[in-house]
Amino acid sequence: NPNRFSVIIVGAGISGISAAKVLAENGVDDVVILEATDRIGGRIRKEEFGGVTVELGAGWIAGVGGKQSNPVWELAHQSNLRTFLSDYSNARYNIYDHSGKIYPSGIAADTYKKAVDSAIQKLSNQEANLDAAESSFLSETTPTQKTPIELAIDFILHDFEMAEVEPISTYVDFGEREYLVADERGYEFLLYKMAESFLYTSEGKILDSRLQLNKVVRELQHSRNGVSVKTEDGSIYEASYVILSVSIGVLQSHLISFVPPLPRWKTEAIQNCEVMVYTKIFLKFPYKFWPCGPDKEFFIYAHHRRGYYTFWQQMENAYPGCNMLVVTLTNEESKRIEAQTDEETMKEAMEVLRNMFGPEIPDAIDILVPCWWNNRFQRGSYTNYPIYVNRQLLHNIKAPVDRIFFTGEHTSEKFSGYVHGGLLSGIETSKALLEEMRKASDKKNEGQAFL
Ligand code: FAD
């Protein structure tokens, strides 16, 4: 059967590619990678916009300059990827109110400190196993009482940072620096570099039949003896094992039916996992009207609605003269703008910019709004585990079912939500699978010796 393999890998994001690479390095070549879209990369994705290459998904290499070397940073180094150091911490000193005034740095610093202290307090309450009802009461009631600057800082702290509140493995292990990728080959070039080492490529294109694009997996039959996978175009693939790298959002969405259904401990873990939506909206202008300079890369808009066009970045450092701004929205705001037209979104963004910089600024000439929530192959941007992760939840998210091995950013205990989390999870999953294959072959050999 030409469609019979040792291992089927579902998804060609960084975890799927790194899993396949480890298998190939260990002599397991009889593999097929089934990818739903027409490209590799998944949530690492570039697009040409306004004359430059922008990153719709992952944009930073987070965790650089520490004791250990971040494997993604190493790959970037080998590929000569063009990167820029980003310093978010300046953002809190560039907070605008609705009349365009910048909050004095003392007020900003005090508000920030208060927010950090309160987050630490909240966490220690959670740690002390505060009554669940009381803690949800706190989180529901506090935001409505906050001022615009408090809301803006709450948004930056909780939706971006938290490193000041609790040590985060990425920064502890790999260092505190973050580098913005600004390369015309895109962040995704790192995936091509990895793929090139084990798949047949020519002139920068992967031509290896072990990578099958436009194959949307819809059904996965599994038992103790093997797996069978059905794709939307009616093809059937069989294998001894499957590595499933689709996002937790996709697993929650039931795009793939499992026959028999996944056990309850697994489906409960999947449903209990929180998915964050994170959207970068790109706006191109005829000329720039915002302040530039190294400490002006980020600025913030304080509004009475939390997360309303709060976090802004100007792209001048990365691409001088590109006249581009990026505004980041998350969760409910992301879902709201995905449901409206780009014209409406541009109008809202312009109103916010005019509040900050005055009525005479020019209209944007183009807008790019990525949709990670309504993308049926993503259904969100990344997992957001609470800082005190429920160990059992994480264990159950990752644990194999029959011959289905789960991988992806969401299965990384220390680095979920990051590119390096995806990369390292792929390696870890393949190592676990290789161990399983070794055990199975030892058992078979023992059986034969006995006969
Ligand atoms: P994915 O990249 O999602 O790969 C899964 C693949 O499976 C996809 O290619 C998908 O098309 C495919 N697939 C889905 N369903 C099917 C199906 N039914 N059949 C076949 N194939 C299927 N990380 C950082 O380190 N730094 C950042 O700055 C950063 N910013 C981010 C910003 C945004 C907007 C987003 C969305 C993510 C960001 N991340 C960032 C997170 C990072 O991109 C991810 O953690 C990482 O890329 C996930 O890789 P993965 O292999 O686990 O999943």
Side-chain angles (χ1 to χ4, degrees):
N1 179 350
N3 277 356
R4 165 97 217 169
F5 302 88
S6 288
V7 184
I8 297 169
I9 297 178
V10 182
I14 190 139
S15 64
I17 295 290
S18 75
K21 182 167 180 270
V22 171
L23 294 181
E25 285 165 356
N26 285 275
V28 183
D29 276 331
D30 181 17
V31 167
V32 68
I33 308 170
L34 304 177
E35 165 55 47
T37 68
D38 60 0
R39 53 178 288 281
I40 69 168
R43 282 171 270 174
I44 303 178
R45 169 174 201 155
K46 67 164 181 174
E47 197 156 311
E48 301 310 311
F49 175 74
V52 297
T53 303
V54 297
E55 298 292 343
L56 307 190
W60 280 272
I61 301 174
V64 178
K67 290 174 283 190
Q68 293 174 43
S69 180
N70 182 334
V72 175
W73 184 242
E74 279 175 22
L75 272 176
H77 221 67
Q78 288 156 17
S79 308
N80 243 330
L81 205 69
R82 189 169 168 265
T83 57
F84 289 86
L85 182 68
S86 273
D87 185 5
Y88 285 129
S89 64
N90 285 314
R92 71 188 80 147
Y93 300 112
N94 302 321
I95 307 181
Y96 292 80
D97 71 7
H98 68 283
S99 66
K101 282 204 283 294
I102 294 189
Y103 283 91
S105 58
I107 292 182
D110 280 356
T111 316
Y112 197 84
K113 192 175 174 309
K114 266 191 212 142
V116 171
D117 290 347
S118 125
I120 291 173
Q121 184 62 46
K122 211 165 164 184
L123 272 177
S124 62
N125 287 347
Q126 276 169 4
E127 199 183 8
N129 258 337
L130 190 79
D131 182 303
E134 195 181 337
S135 88
S136 75
F137 171 78
L138 279 177
S139 64
E140 272 165 31
T141 51
T142 17
T144 53
Q145 298 155 352
K146 288 183 174 159
T147 61
I149 184 171
E150 284 169 344
L151 284 173
I153 281 179
D154 185 84
F155 176 78
I156 313 165
L157 187 65
H158 291 276
D159 292 30
F160 286 87
E161 296 178 348
M162 281 309 263
E164 308 225 6
V165 176
E166 186 71 2
I168 290 178
S169 299
T170 287
Y171 305 106
V172 174
D173 289 11
F174 297 136
E176 288 182 3
R177 284 193 231 140
E178 302 206 26
Y179 283 84
L180 179 77
V181 176
D183 190 302
E184 60 178 19
R185 298 166 298 171
Y187 206 144
E188 63 187 57
F189 182 69
L190 301 189
L191 269 97
Y192 282 93
K193 257 325 232 197
M194 276 169 71
E196 217 178 56
S197 68
F198 67 98
L199 292 175
Y200 172 64
T201 56
S202 173
E203 291 172 3
K205 287 211 166 71
I206 304 170
L207 300 176
D208 202 303
S209 61
R210 287 173 293 170
L211 173 68
Q212 307 238 333
L213 300 174
N214 302 308
K215 291 289 182 187
V216 181
V217 170
R218 294 304 303 268
E219 192 184 286
L220 210 164
Q221 287 190 27
H222 58 108
S223 72
R224 286 199 184 147
N225 304 319
V227 295
S228 166
V229 161
K230 203 188 271 175
T231 53
E232 208 154 67
D233 62 5
S235 314
I236 292 176
Y237 299 81
E238 289 174 349
S240 305
Y241 299 93
V242 63
I243 293 182
L244 192 55
S245 83
V246 303
S247 70
I248 203 89
V250 170
L251 293 172
Q252 285 174 348
S253 77
H254 308 293
L255 175 69
I256 304 175
S257 21
F258 294 86
V259 185
L262 292 174
R264 195 147 156 218
W265 59 264
K266 190 67 167 187
T267 51
E268 270 181 10
I270 291 169
Q271 295 308 334
N272 283 335
C273 194
E274 197 184 320
V275 177
M276 171 109 179
V277 194
Y278 177 105
T279 313
K280 292 185 270 184
I281 300 171
F282 299 85
L283 289 157
K284 171 90 178 169
F285 293 90
Y287 56 87
K288 53 176 187 287
F289 50 82
W290 50 87
C292 285
D295 55 350
K296 298 269 186 287
E297 186 176 358
F298 302 98
F299 55 92
I300 287 159
Y301 177 61
H303 191 73
H304 57 81
R305 186 152 122 202
R306 188 186 185 277
Y308 190 75
Y309 299 88
T310 307
F311 193 79
W312 293 81
Q313 182 188 5
Q314 47 110 346
M315 298 285 284
E316 254 349 85
N317 295 357
Y319 291 116
C322 72
N323 302 334
M324 200 178 288
L325 290 176
V326 186
V327 59
T328 301
L329 271 57
T330 60
N331 300 332
E332 292 316 308
E333 283 298 306
S334 292
K335 292 178 189 172
R336 187 180 68 78
I337 55 121
E338 280 195 27
Q340 68 185 19
T341 63
D342 289 358
E343 287 70 33
E344 283 169 307
T345 303
M346 196 196 278
K347 207 168 140 228
E348 289 176 355
M350 283 313 306
E351 207 177 298
V352 165
L353 285 169
R354 291 204 160 102
N355 287 345
M356 283 191 279
F357 299 108
E360 67 288 349
I361 61 165
D363 276 329
I365 48 180
D366 207 355
I367 184 168
L368 178 61
V369 185
C371 293
W372 293 105
W373 173 245
N374 283 308
N375 178 339
R376 70 179 178 130
F377 306 132
Q378 288 302 340
R379 307 294 300 168
S381 300
Y382 44 81
T383 44
N384 190 20
Y385 290 113
I387 283 184
Y388 290 106
V389 210
N390 172 344
R391 300 262 146 216
Q392 193 62 43
L393 173 82
L394 206 60
H395 175 269
N396 289 356
I397 288 283
K398 199 160 93 169
V401 172
D402 284 336
R403 287 166 174 249
I404 311 172
F405 281 67
F406 292 81
T407 199
E409 139 302 280
H410 50 281
T411 67
S412 169
E413 195 171 327
K414 287 174 95 180
F415 309 116
S416 62
Y418 290 101
V419 171
H420 49 275
L423 175 82
L424 293 169
S425 73
I427 297 173
E428 204 180 309
T429 304
S430 273
K431 284 189 176 160
L433 174 55
L434 285 163
E435 185 56 33
E436 178 71 24
M437 289 165 106
R438 247 172 244 135
K439 275 194 212 146
S441 116
D442 287 351
K443 243 192 209 156
K444 207 167 148 194
N445 291 341
E446 272 169 30
Q448 273 168 357
F450 182 73
L451 285 174

